Amino acid sequence: MNAIYSNALAKSRENKMLGVERLYRMIDAPDFFDALKILSEVGFGGVEVDGDYEKLIERELSELYAFVRHDAPNENFKKFFLYPNDFHNVEVFIKGKHTPIDVDFMTVEDGIYSKDKLKNDIMLDNYLAYPKSLQVALGKCDLEFANGTATGLKVSSLIKKAVYSELFAISKKDKILKEIYDAKADFANVSIALRSRDYSFTLEHRVVGGTLSENDIRALTEEPFDSLKERFKTRAEKVNVYSAIEDASLGKPLAEFEKNAESFAVKKLKAKKYEISGIYPFVNYCFNKLIEIDNVRIVLAGKQAGLDSMDIKGRLRDSYEG
């Protein structure tokens, strides 16, 4: 009954999403403020804020995370969706703990835990209330700072591996979450391997899980790009590894590859858009809402910068659907 109730709430909210038609109207609007007005048709962000669209986006994100926190059909999905926020904030606070820099402005919305609790516990070395992987990561971070060997990369890698470890464990309990997680892990590991082209470095920083074999990972760090293209050209990967290899071979940033990583969950769920069993309606709404919020930011930033419509449309997250 909990899933039925949660799914019904999600379907109701889905009907109030911006939708493709309104999104394109925003893109084609005469100017930034005309685009902003279209958001009021669905009450995006609650109230209008003249020119400061980031406040609208913050409110919409806050409302989405609160919805998941209070109405998720089970704890697994709640943690899967919200833990990345917690671990991001943990990384901010552990760095702030050991440096004189004010880092609070770098935090994101609350996840499972409030930012105030996270900050207070980290400052007091009170880690026992948190997942074991995070306890271990925080202890290692403290040691790195105490030894004077801490770097931004080391700290980020420790926290990233910890959150992926938790998401990996959670995803084992649900088929759709496992598919989403496997793709997230593959995107992360391909990026690490192709950016570093160093097998030892990749082994140190790679995240757990995913569908790539050890031979695949080694090849991505050591083989010439031409042979890599042949290796992955005809393989039916969930993640388009070939496109990443092609960009890396040309010295291009992997921005498009990583953009697809953000859209993968929506692509995966699209095939089950009309599935009403389990928690699919709830999961589908939540990931689609994230894409919608990203696309609103892209459109409004583009309108404010004076970009033309085709350029803005080319920047949109893939598989957007209202």
Side-chain angles (χ1 to χ4, degrees):
M1 291 301 295
N2 189 44
I4 293 172
Y5 175 73
S6 297
N7 287 340
L9 289 176
K11 294 300 289 185
S12 175
R13 286 169 172 265
E14 190 176 279
N15 293 331
K16 299 176 183 177
M17 287 179 68
L18 191 64
V20 175
E21 186 269 335
R22 286 194 185 92
L23 187 75
Y24 278 22
R25 279 173 51 207
M26 288 177 64
I27 295 172
D28 294 330
D31 59 36
F32 169 80
F33 287 101
D34 283 311
L36 199 60
K37 288 176 184 176
I38 295 172
L39 293 178
S40 64
E41 295 178 9
V42 292
F44 188 99
V47 295
E48 187 172 332
V49 180
D50 290 342
D52 191 353
Y53 63 85
E54 283 295 341
K55 287 186 178 178
L56 295 177
I57 287 171
E58 286 173 13
R59 289 174 187 154
E60 202 72 5
L61 278 171
S62 180
E63 203 279 335
L64 172 62
Y65 292 128
F67 174 58
V68 174
R69 199 176 298 115
H70 298 138
D71 295 301
N74 59 48
E75 285 296 312
N76 283 338
F77 180 71
K78 183 190 297 187
K79 291 177 179 178
F80 191 88
F81 197 80
L82 296 177
Y83 264 163
N85 283 20
D86 289 323
F87 281 69
H88 172 93
N89 291 333
V90 163
E91 180 181 343
V92 170
F93 292 138
I94 193 67
K95 289 177 179 177
K97 175 181 178 179
H98 294 282
T99 62
I101 303 171
D102 181 9
V103 295
D104 286 7
F105 72 95
M106 299 169 63
T107 60
V108 296
E109 292 289 335
D110 288 351
I112 298 293
Y113 308 101
S114 74
K115 288 186 280 189
D116 288 342
K117 174 175 173 55
L118 284 173
K119 183 176 183 179
N120 186 62
D121 285 346
I122 287 171
M123 295 301 173
L124 297 175
D125 298 337
N126 183 22
Y127 305 153
L128 293 179
Y130 301 105
K132 184 66 177 178
S133 65
L134 184 55
Q135 294 179 39
V136 173
L138 285 170
K140 289 181 178 178
C141 289
D142 284 332
L143 188 60
E144 292 283 353
F145 279 108
N147 291 338
T149 56
T151 64
L153 176 61
K154 281 185 179 180
V155 172
S156 294
S157 181
L158 285 168
I159 301 301
K160 181 178 182 179
K161 289 175 73 172
V163 68
Y164 272 80
S165 176
E166 289 304 313
L167 298 182
F168 176 66
I170 293 167
S171 71
K172 289 180 177 180
K173 304 170 186 177
D174 186 281
K175 182 180 178 181
I176 187 62
L177 295 186
K178 185 178 188 308
E179 291 190 44
I180 293 171
Y181 176 80
D182 281 346
K184 284 172 67 72
D186 285 348
F187 275 110
N189 289 330
V190 169
S191 294
I192 292 167
L194 289 177
R195 280 202 171 97
S196 69
R197 296 286 281 169
D198 182 311
Y199 185 57
S200 296
F201 179 92
T202 300
L203 288 183
E204 180 182 356
H205 295 280
R206 68 177 294 190
V207 300
V208 65
T211 65
L212 299 177
S213 69
E214 289 299 319
N215 285 338
D216 289 336
I217 295 294
R218 181 180 283 277
L220 287 166
T221 63
E222 297 180 350
E223 282 189 17
F225 287 122
D226 286 344
S227 62
L228 278 178
K229 289 178 185 179
E230 288 302 314
R231 174 189 283 266
F232 287 96
K233 189 172 186 178
T234 59
R235 284 176 42 168
E237 305 286 344
K238 293 178 181 177
V239 172
N240 191 352
V241 180
Y242 180 85
S243 69
I245 296 167
E246 194 164 42
D247 284 347
S249 70
L250 297 172
K252 292 182 179 180
L254 301 179
E256 187 66 24
F257 180 71
E258 292 175 338
K259 171 181 167 181
N260 290 335
E262 296 173 15
S263 303
F264 179 84
V266 171
K267 286 182 178 180
K268 190 66 193 174
L269 291 162
K270 181 185 283 187
K272 298 181 179 292
K273 183 177 180 180
Y274 300 106
E275 174 68 65
I276 60 172
S277 64
I279 63 171
Y280 284 111
F282 194 93
V283 175
N284 188 58
Y285 165 75
C286 292
F287 282 110
N288 268 285
K289 186 63 180 179
L290 277 182
I291 294 292
E292 176 186 88
I293 293 170
D294 278 347
N295 279 333
V296 166
R297 176 183 279 116
I298 289 166
V299 171
L300 292 177
K303 299 295 287 187
Q304 200 169 54
L307 300 181
D308 64 47
S309 295
M310 290 306 296
D311 195 356
I312 295 173
K313 288 177 182 177
R315 296 167 186 246
L316 294 179
R317 295 294 181 250
D318 293 338
S319 298
Y320 174 85
E321 54 185 11

